[in-house]
């Protein structure tokens, strides 16, 4: 596993973004782990987060694209910090863009904020965690309405590696339905690999009991 992935897993633990216990997802699934990206709350945290996204984007898609699009609302700061990180790390200046929930009819009018999307632009979409496709259903029409543009792919922070609407993973369903490449900074398999029975800051984060609970969860909701 690449070093930046290991650092990102520990970073999530430090920021209390990645938690273990008893939770219920939006879809009603009882889960022993939860990812809440709302806990990235400081400038230094967002700066580091952007760097991890930049590494994942370059590793999967390269740097031959023009716009980093972050759907409102969580995608807005992600598109900003990741575009800054790409400039700092790789000396590539990409545009950032997001949508508004409501169309603005005065001043900087329209549905977009940040850079406009122009004919011929290649666009990478950036989100927080694996979606079931709901956000993409809303995002792609907005992007494609801007002209003859090419959606290149989707990057998220964590792939939960569980079934989406059918038997495939949510990211695999997005790839199949929309023809988009997808990637994540880390998968939950990598999280477990890095933290299982390994002491971090004086504590074992994933012990045998928690590992068993995670395995049971994937037996029920994981990709077959």
């Amino acid at each position: 596993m690449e070093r930046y992935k290991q650092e990102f897993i520990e970073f999530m633990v430090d920021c209390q973004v990645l938690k273990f216990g008893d939770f219920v997802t939006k879809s009603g699934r009882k889960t022993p782990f939860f990812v809440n990206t709302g806990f990235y709350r400081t400038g230094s945290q967002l700066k580091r987060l952007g760097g991890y996204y930049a590494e994942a984007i370059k590793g999967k898609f390269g740097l031959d694209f023009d716009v980093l699009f972050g759907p409102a609302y969580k995608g807005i700061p992600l598109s900003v910090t990741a575009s800054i990180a790409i400039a700092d790390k790789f000396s590539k200046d990409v545009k950032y863009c997001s949508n508004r929930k409501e169309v603005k009819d005065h001043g900087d009018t329209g549905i977009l904020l940040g850079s406009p999307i122009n004919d011929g632009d290649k666009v990478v979409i950036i989100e927080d965690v694996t979606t079931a496709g709901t956000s993409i259903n809303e995002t792609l029409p907005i992007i494609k309405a801007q002209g003859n543009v090419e959606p290149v792919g989707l990057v998220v922070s964590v792939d939960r590696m569980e079934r989406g609407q059918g038997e495939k993973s949510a990211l695999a369903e997005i790839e199949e339905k929309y023809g988009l490449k997808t990637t994540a900074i880390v998968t939950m398999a990598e999280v477990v690999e890095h933290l299982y029975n390994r002491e971090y800051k004086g504590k074992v984060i994933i012990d045998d009991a928690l590992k068993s609970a995670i395995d049971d969860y994937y037996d029920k909701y994981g990709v077959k």
Side-chain angles (χ1 to χ4, degrees):
M1 189 191 314
E2 295 96 323
R3 180 58 194 162
Y4 82 88
K5 290 176 177 278
Q6 298 174 0
E7 291 177 355
F8 179 65
I9 292 166
E10 295 169 2
F11 174 61
M12 286 195 293
V13 172
D14 290 341
C15 294
Q16 300 182 59
V17 166
L18 175 62
K19 295 183 178 182
F20 298 96
D22 295 311
F23 307 96
V24 178
T25 67
K26 186 183 294 185
S27 61
R29 297 174 179 176
K30 294 183 178 180
T31 173
F33 59 90
F34 194 72
V35 180
N36 184 356
T37 58
F39 273 79
Y40 296 122
R41 292 175 172 171
T42 71
S44 62
Q45 289 172 350
L46 285 175
K47 181 179 180 180
R48 288 187 63 185
L49 179 62
Y52 296 127
Y53 268 111
E55 294 281 1
I57 290 167
K58 183 176 183 293
K60 180 68 174 185
F61 308 120
L63 297 174
D64 183 23
F65 68 97
D66 307 288
V67 181
L68 194 56
F69 185 90
Y73 288 102
K74 286 186 177 180
I76 296 174
L78 297 180
S79 66
V80 173
T81 189
S83 62
I84 292 171
I86 289 170
D88 286 345
K89 282 177 169 286
F90 308 122
S91 300
K92 168 72 174 183
D93 209 17
V94 299
K95 300 179 285 188
Y96 81 91
C97 181
S98 295
N99 64 295
R100 296 182 172 96
K101 290 290 188 180
E102 301 82 20
V103 177
K104 189 177 178 184
D105 60 3
H106 61 281
D108 182 16
T109 60
I111 197 170
L112 301 183
L113 56 87
S115 171
I117 299 175
N118 301 313
D119 276 351
D121 279 347
K122 297 179 180 178
V123 182
V124 171
I125 301 164
I126 183 170
E127 294 195 14
D128 53 354
V129 289
T130 308
T131 71
T134 305
S135 178
I136 289 294
N137 285 332
E138 300 171 354
T139 300
L140 280 178
I142 293 171
I143 293 172
K144 291 181 176 180
Q146 307 310 308
N148 182 24
V149 301
E150 180 184 346
V152 174
L154 166 69
V155 59
V156 298
S157 62
V158 180
D159 180 0
R160 287 183 59 98
M161 300 180 65
E162 58 191 80
R163 295 194 305 275
Q165 303 296 321
E167 294 300 313
K168 298 182 178 181
S169 73
L171 287 184
E173 288 178 349
I174 289 169
E175 288 194 348
E176 186 176 88
K177 183 174 181 179
Y178 300 106
L180 279 177
K181 293 181 180 179
T182 66
T183 194
I185 302 174
V186 293
T187 67
M188 276 306 299
E190 290 170 328
V191 170
V192 173
E193 174 190 338
H194 185 61
L195 295 178
Y196 176 49
N197 275 347
R198 179 176 296 174
E199 191 173 285
Y200 176 63
K201 293 187 175 179
K203 180 181 179 182
V204 173
I205 306 295
I206 300 180
D207 57 16
D208 288 336
L210 181 53
K211 175 65 161 54
S212 179
I214 293 171
D215 289 343
D216 289 344
Y217 182 78
Y218 280 113
D219 284 343
K220 189 172 183 179
Y221 297 116
V223 178
K224 303 300 183 185

